[in-house]
Amino acid sequence: MATSNKPRRMSEYRLEKMDEEFLLFDPAQTKILYCNETASLIWQLCDGTRTTQQVIATLSDAYPDAANVIANDVDATLKLFLENGAIEYV
Amino acid sequence: MTKRRVISFAQNAVAIESEGTRADRIVDFLFHDTSSDDRIVPHVELRVAEPIRPETLAVFQDYTSIFESESDAELAEFLLGNVTVHLADKSHGGMVFHAGALVWNRFGVLVPGSIGAGKTTMTTWLVTRGLDYLTDEMVWVPEGTDAIHGLTRPLNVKKPSRVVLQDIFDFEKHAAEILSSDRIDLIPPTALKPDNVLSTPRLGLIVFPKYQPHGELEIQQLSKAQTGFALLETLVNARNLTEHGFHETARLAQLAPAYRIRYSHFEQIREPIENLLASVDAR
């Protein structure tokens, strides 16, 4: 997926925040997603206004020590979200 | 002479009529410790009786024979499974988990897992370690609470588990107390622990077991979200609950520490489990 696309959370998904992690649930498809701390941050940044590249940049600024793996993490996580209908690109 | 027994669990009930000494004995063996609430109207009526064929017992539902066998153990296994499915199907008012449950110092120890995870094996071992038995199969947690209600029944030990358990339970010595078929042993909890006490404890500890014949011990403390995710995978009655029980299960996941334990023999887990139980004591 092009990094200029803007990921946006699907509003149908319910959210439970537990410490720094999330559980996401789609009642229509009865699908549950577990998001570790990183995935939870990515989910929060999927607001439809940031591009994927901007999501990566935001996280890299916040966690410079992990900057070399963040692009891959974001890519894999967004792919998982998309496969489960948890986000769409706008 | 017909006897009637109502088995209630998770705000629904199944009625079982038994005709004859043999049928009475099986029903009493299976449901001696199961709760009974006369205020709940049963949604299923079963009958255990002799059909036309001699030496055979049958389970009837709505005047139709749904199972027949000459073996008491096979009939008991069928009846136990059938009643459990019916009770899960109409359960409401809280979450029903596919889980074993025990009591340690007034706190509930939940042992959730899908089929084959080793719930009964772990539960049996814990009873021999002194915990009180509640169930090896199904737990109901009423909405908004952390109360552990077990569907108390004989432990249903699958034949492959007999090898694993034979060092801690003498199957031959207790042969008269248990019902055995080619596939299962049904063991009343009092055969494992004569002074077993039933109660409705508050949740204190969650252990997700995974027995594997070979391999190193692995113990992983789960985060709250991981616990919620794993509990949701064992939630039996999601379709009967608001939002499929998502928020309720997430709430429960935050109330007690949870561990995933992969083990190959009991000696591996003896000390770690004792440490976990000690942490429950300290709560």
Side-chain angles (χ1 to χ4, degrees):
Chain A
M1 186 57 63
T3 54
S4 58
N5 287 331
K6 297 174 179 173
R8 181 171 66 188
R9 299 182 292 269
M10 300 299 281
S11 58
E12 294 86 351
Y13 264 79
R14 308 291 192 265
L15 181 145
E16 280 285 348
K17 186 175 186 299
M18 304 164 87
D19 294 333
E20 301 306 317
E21 300 181 332
F22 289 168
L23 279 183
L24 304 176
F25 175 64
D26 178 357
Q29 300 182 75
T30 60
K31 242 177 209 173
I32 309 155
L33 288 176
Y34 158 71
C35 298
N36 62 18
E37 194 171 341
T38 306
S40 300
L41 289 169
I42 295 168
W43 170 262
Q44 289 172 290
L45 294 170
C46 294
D47 59 4
T49 67
R50 295 178 175 87
T51 65
T52 300
Q53 188 56 51
Q54 287 170 326
V55 171
I56 293 168
T58 301
L59 289 172
S60 297
D61 287 345
Y63 302 96
D65 293 348
N68 58 332
V69 297
I70 280 175
N72 283 342
D73 279 356
V74 170
D75 190 49
T77 303
L78 291 179
K79 194 175 167 193
L80 179 74
F81 286 161
L82 191 64
E83 284 170 358
N84 285 280
I87 60 164
E88 61 183 349
Y89 284 101
V90 294
Chain B
M1 180 77 175
T2 300
K3 285 187 181 175
R4 189 168 193 273
R5 182 187 288 264
V6 175
I7 313 297
S8 56
F9 177 75
Q11 296 185 353
N12 77 119
V14 171
I16 305 173
E17 287 186 350
S18 54
E19 291 178 10
T21 308
R22 192 172 157 208
D24 292 345
R25 201 173 55 232
I26 292 173
V27 173
D28 191 56
F29 174 83
L30 292 176
F31 304 111
H32 177 266
D33 292 322
T34 314
S35 60
S36 183
D37 187 340
D38 293 337
R39 294 167 299 180
I40 302 172
V41 178
H43 68 281
V44 174
E45 300 271 347
L46 300 172
R47 188 164 59 92
V48 183
E50 290 180 3
I52 296 168
R53 290 196 294 137
E55 307 299 322
T56 302
L57 274 183
V59 179
F60 295 87
Q61 182 175 353
D62 301 331
Y63 304 104
T64 303
S65 170
I66 57 174
F67 187 83
E68 288 185 27
S69 178
E70 293 179 5
S71 159
D72 288 4
E74 284 180 6
L75 188 116
E77 182 190 8
F78 173 82
L79 186 60
L80 190 63
N82 190 274
V83 169
T84 303
V85 167
H86 283 307
L87 290 173
D89 183 44
K90 299 293 182 191
S91 59
H92 60 280
M95 299 159 283
V96 172
F97 294 105
H98 200 202
L102 306 104
V103 188
W104 175 254
N105 273 0
R106 295 178 290 109
F107 280 103
V109 178
L110 196 63
V111 186
S114 50
I115 293 168
K119 292 186 304 296
T120 299
T121 304
M122 173 70 88
T123 300
T124 304
W125 180 76
L126 287 169
V127 176
T128 67
R129 301 299 300 170
L131 280 74
D132 283 311
Y133 171 78
L134 295 180
T135 182
D136 68 339
E137 180 65 12
M138 220 156 64
V139 166
W140 177 56
V141 182
E143 197 173 336
T145 78
D146 62 352
I148 303 296
H149 296 251
L151 178 67
T152 305
R153 49 179 235 166
L155 292 101
N156 187 352
V157 176
K158 312 291 186 299
K159 269 295 183 286
S161 298
R162 195 187 243 242
V163 179
V164 183
L165 293 169
Q166 62 190 6
D167 289 340
I168 58 167
F169 181 71
D170 188 339
F171 286 83
E172 301 306 320
K173 182 182 163 191
H174 291 278
E177 296 167 71
I178 66 182
L179 272 180
S180 298
S181 73
D182 292 341
R183 301 191 312 169
I184 51 110
D185 294 297
L186 295 172
I187 306 175
T190 47
L192 293 158
K193 189 170 187 284
D195 59 346
N196 191 67
V197 175
L198 298 175
S199 62
T200 306
R202 296 183 61 193
L203 178 63
L205 176 67
I206 306 172
V207 174
F208 294 92
K210 183 61 190 169
Y211 172 79
Q212 52 183 23
H214 308 287
E216 297 295 312
L217 172 69
E218 291 176 32
I219 298 182
Q220 177 196 4
Q221 179 162 16
L222 301 181
S223 69
K224 289 170 183 169
Q226 286 171 325
T227 304
F229 186 76
L231 279 176
L232 281 162
E233 288 185 314
T234 65
L235 185 62
V236 173
N237 65 339
R239 70 187 184 289
N240 299 344
L241 304 174
T242 306
E243 297 264 74
H244 295 262
F246 175 64
H247 301 292
E248 265 295 282
T249 306
R251 177 188 64 77
L252 191 71
Q254 302 183 64
L255 300 181
Y259 298 83
R260 194 182 299 282
I261 299 183
R262 190 183 294 267
Y263 69 102
S264 59
H265 56 86
F266 294 127
E267 197 50 38
Q268 277 180 329
I269 56 173
R270 190 178 56 79
E271 191 176 326
I273 289 284
E274 281 175 3
N275 290 337
L276 293 182
L277 293 174
S279 71
V280 173
D281 286 340
R283 289 183 74 191

